[in-house]
Amino acid sequence: MKEKEYHGLGYVWNNLEYLLAAVFATIMLIALFVQVVARFVFNNPIGWTEELAVTSFVMMVYIGSIGATRDDSHLKLELFINMASPKGKQVLLIIGDIVFFLMNLLLSYGLLNVTINLKKYGLTTAMLQLPKWIPYSVLIICFLAMDVRLVQNIIERVHIIKGLKHPEISKESEGQ
């Protein structure tokens, strides 16, 4: 499927996952740079920069995963998928997306229990004093957003199977 070319707010909305991941990558790099300068130039390390960098890294990875799910560039066993017929390929991809969907729900449920307990006991991060439930909540949102993208992918694959779209214009046929 060819992506539409977006400009302005349309571009921002269509690439929101990647833009947010880039923001967190930038925050991580700035925090690490500040830490290196503070430690090796001024010989006075700053404790909170490492915590900010690690938190930013985790957010970058999970928010970027939403975009990878949208673009269907997440990990899968392409060797087996590519050996199937065009219709079989779509069926295998749907099965993989369903398993991925269910795992995300399971992880979201587990994280929800952890998040509730973190909020209940008022735990905070060591240096930034950020309530720990906030980053865990973001992870739940990321898993659920991936599930929304998976449902979109499944619907598109079903349309391909039904012949509503031609497989030669699908994502898989473009070599992605």
Side-chain angles (χ1 to χ4, degrees):
M1 179 175 107
K2 281 274 189 197
E3 286 290 326
K4 294 180 186 175
E5 193 169 319
Y6 293 97
H7 302 286
L9 287 177
Y11 175 83
V12 171
W13 179 251
N14 194 50
N15 293 291
L16 187 60
E17 299 99 334
Y18 294 125
L19 293 171
L20 287 173
V23 166
F24 281 108
T26 303
I27 292 169
M28 177 187 69
L29 290 173
I30 291 170
L32 291 173
F33 178 76
V34 167
Q35 175 67 324
V36 167
V37 170
R39 181 180 302 260
F40 294 108
V41 174
F42 299 113
N43 203 22
N44 187 15
I46 304 170
W48 58 265
T49 56
E50 181 181 344
E51 191 173 288
L52 179 62
V54 169
T55 302
S56 296
F57 177 75
V58 171
M59 295 298 126
M60 175 191 69
V61 168
Y62 282 97
I63 291 172
S65 296
I66 300 166
T69 303
R70 180 196 73 194
D71 295 340
D72 201 28
S73 57
H74 54 81
L75 291 174
K76 53 187 164 277
L77 296 173
E78 288 189 11
L79 174 68
F80 295 111
I81 293 169
N82 290 335
M83 291 181 357
S85 67
K87 186 176 181 179
K89 179 189 285 191
Q90 297 302 320
V91 170
L92 288 173
L93 289 169
I94 289 171
I95 292 169
D97 285 346
I98 291 170
V99 170
F100 191 4
F101 180 92
L102 294 173
M103 288 304 300
N104 284 345
L105 285 181
L106 182 65
L107 289 169
S108 295
Y109 178 74
L111 279 170
L112 180 62
N113 290 329
V114 170
T115 303
I116 289 169
N117 283 327
L118 290 171
K119 180 141 174 78
K120 177 179 174 183
Y121 295 112
L123 298 174
T124 61
T125 59
M127 299 302 288
L128 295 173
Q129 294 300 305
L130 177 73
K132 280 189 174 184
W133 66 268
I134 293 174
Y136 282 85
S137 297
V138 172
L139 296 180
I140 294 169
I141 292 167
C142 288
F143 282 122
L144 296 176
M146 279 187 256
D147 276 350
V148 169
R149 296 299 194 184
L150 286 166
V151 169
Q152 291 171 334
N153 289 349
I154 290 169
I155 290 168
E156 181 163 336
R157 292 185 207 296
V158 169
H159 286 195
I160 290 170
I161 290 172
K162 287 183 174 180
L164 297 175
K165 292 187 178 180
H166 299 288
E168 58 269 7
I169 64 170
S170 71
K171 292 179 193 173
E172 293 73 35
S173 296
E174 291 178 351
Q176 292 185 2

